[in-house]
Amino acid sequence: MKFGYWTPVFGSWLRNVDDDTTIGSWEYIKDLALRAEQIGYDLTLVPELYLNDIKGEKAPALDAWAIANGLAAITSRIEILAALRPQYHQVALTAKKIATIAEIAKGRFSINMVSAWWEEEARQFGIGFDGHDDRYTLTHEYTDVLRGFWTKSPFNFKGKYFEFSNSYNEPKPKNLPKVYAGGESEAGRNAIAQFADKYLMHGGTIDEVREKIKDMKERRAKTGQTPFEAFGMAVYIIIRDTEEEAKKELERITTIKNFKDYENSYKDFTSNSNLDVEVNRYDYSVSNRGLRPNLVGTPKQVAEKIREYEKAGLDLLIVQCAPMKEELERIAKDLIPLVR
């Protein structure tokens, strides 16, 4: 099992708590990354939203690509996985940008293709927002164009959204960047089975994850491509010396103080994502259904649950926690050795 963590571009991951010391600043993020790769984390996912999904649209949110570029320059081992929403990035320019960051990172740069879900954010930034299935069609074609620019000179392409003729985009990346993607709808799964190297999931129960992995393996096989390279999941982890202490912390972070602060993103997320399970306000206390796997308890208890996810086919956990510096240290010291 590999362990990654979410870069806190929004600061805290806790929607209901105001006293988390996680800071959405470059200095905090830089120190976190340098320490994380020292203590054994394999990857950091840099999420992309221009509004703050956690604390509300009036709160600060850092740019994912500026952060990813900075992390590429200062780290030496950890994989940097930057979220990419096609609607917000002109494809040819982005192909060059990715090739350049991949060179800075010496092959440690990957992209997480996201079809986007926050309609209000798109409105505020003047970005078009197509229907759900159309967004996945765009994401698929966009990924094909990226790979075309990375591998062909000159590049020619004609599709539904893009057309290029006799186009040059140099230099090529020395190692083709890996493409991660996640989605639960029928359209999303079908598209991802065709274009992604690795499949990511929101937090889910072992049965839910086992079903998704089985389903995606079958869809992938029908495409005639090589199997998915890995399956990952978003998780929020709470470990304490006793189960009682861990549950007390869980109760603290899931007690809703002011739902109105993030009501807009909650409604957009649940209505525009075509999720295959219901997301309640408890789940939405942290992002990406990280509490659903229930990785809460003593290190030994949580390690046992993680091993069950491994048996179900999971290869990667991308961790949220709070406060991040202290809890990533605790997880690296007390939990990861029990799993590995």
Side-chain angles (χ1 to χ4, degrees):
M1 180 70 71
K2 290 186 175 182
F3 284 80
Y5 73 93
W6 291 68
T7 289
V9 295
F10 312 122
S12 177
W13 298 106
L14 302 177
R15 290 189 166 99
N16 308 316
V17 175
D18 297 326
D19 61 354
D20 179 14
T21 58
T22 305
I23 302 171
S25 71
W26 166 244
E27 286 299 317
Y28 187 98
I29 287 169
K30 176 192 69 175
D31 293 345
L32 191 68
L34 292 173
R35 182 58 181 160
E37 68 175 1
Q38 287 178 347
I39 59 179
Y41 289 90
D42 303 289
L43 171 150
T44 184
L45 169 58
V46 188
E48 181 185 56
L49 285 174
Y50 294 130
L51 296 179
N52 192 316
D53 173 38
I54 307 299
K55 295 299 187 181
E57 60 188 51
K58 296 179 183 179
L62 297 178
D63 176 72
W65 284 72
I67 294 296
N69 192 34
L71 293 179
I74 65 165
T75 55
S76 59
R77 188 189 63 80
I78 201 165
E79 179 182 354
I80 300 154
L81 175 59
L84 169 58
R85 297 175 299 165
Q87 300 91 331
Y88 292 79
H89 300 270
Q90 200 278 346
V91 66
L93 301 181
T94 303
K96 180 173 288 292
K97 183 183 297 184
I98 291 171
T100 303
I101 301 177
E103 181 173 328
I104 295 170
K106 298 180 180 178
R108 295 177 292 111
F109 187 68
S110 306
I111 54 173
N112 178 31
M113 297 300 298
V114 181
S115 68
W117 55 266
W118 200 350
E119 188 171 4
E120 172 62 14
E121 181 206 36
R123 183 197 68 78
Q124 290 191 27
F125 280 81
I127 302 296
F129 193 82
D130 296 333
H132 176 273
D133 291 2
D134 290 331
R135 298 200 302 276
Y136 272 106
T137 302
L138 168 63
T139 301
H140 185 180
E141 187 172 308
Y142 189 103
T143 308
D144 289 343
V145 172
L146 288 179
R147 289 191 174 117
F149 274 123
W150 294 336
T151 58
K152 299 173 183 177
S153 288
F155 176 56
N156 296 282
F157 184 90
K158 186 173 183 178
K160 179 178 179 180
Y161 297 97
F162 305 109
E163 182 172 351
F164 296 94
S165 177
N166 203 34
S167 297
Y168 291 84
N169 207 331
E170 305 296 334
K172 308 298 185 195
K174 293 181 178 66
N175 299 299
L176 207 62
K178 297 298 182 182
V179 175
Y180 295 66
E184 299 180 348
S185 66
E186 187 68 17
R189 293 194 197 194
N190 278 336
I192 291 165
Q194 297 176 69
F195 73 76
D197 299 308
K198 305 183 184 186
Y199 181 62
L200 296 181
M201 293 166 275
H202 293 301
T205 65
I206 291 174
D207 287 342
E208 289 167 351
V209 167
R210 185 183 294 111
E211 182 279 326
K212 286 187 176 71
I213 290 175
K214 178 177 181 293
D215 177 70
M216 291 304 291
K217 285 182 175 180
E218 292 172 351
R219 292 175 193 255
R220 181 68 161 205
K222 290 178 182 177
T223 72
Q225 299 180 70
T226 57
F228 281 111
E229 296 179 17
F231 294 92
M233 179 175 71
V235 294
Y236 191 97
I237 293 180
I238 302 173
I239 54 170
R240 295 292 187 270
D241 292 337
T242 68
E243 184 178 5
E244 182 182 10
E245 289 176 297
K247 288 183 175 179
K248 186 176 181 180
E249 172 65 5
L250 176 64
E251 181 181 2
R252 184 182 78 89
I253 70 172
T254 55
T255 300
I256 295 175
K257 295 174 65 176
N258 184 8
F259 179 69
K260 191 173 181 61
D261 283 347
Y262 55 88
E263 187 172 16
N264 175 273
S265 68
Y266 175 80
K267 288 181 178 178
D268 266 9
F269 181 68
T270 54
S271 63
N272 290 324
S273 298
N274 283 16
L275 303 175
D276 63 352
V277 299
E278 181 181 356
V279 177
N280 57 35
R281 296 184 184 187
Y282 169 91
D283 289 330
Y284 209 66
S285 296
V286 303
S287 74
N288 298 86
R289 298 206 305 265
L291 292 173
R292 196 171 182 86
N294 193 30
L295 298 185
V296 178
T298 67
K300 183 178 179 180
Q301 289 173 324
V302 173
E304 289 173 354
K305 293 177 185 177
I306 291 173
R307 282 193 286 271
E308 290 302 311
Y309 278 101
E310 273 192 307
K311 292 177 184 177
L314 200 66
D315 308 288
L316 169 68
L317 296 177
I318 310 181
V319 176
Q320 294 175 5
C321 53
M324 287 208 74
K325 283 184 179 178
E326 292 82 354
E327 291 303 308
L328 286 183
E329 289 274 359
R330 189 199 302 257
I331 291 165
K333 177 178 176 289
D334 296 337
L335 175 63
I336 292 179
L338 296 180
V339 175
R340 291 179 172 168

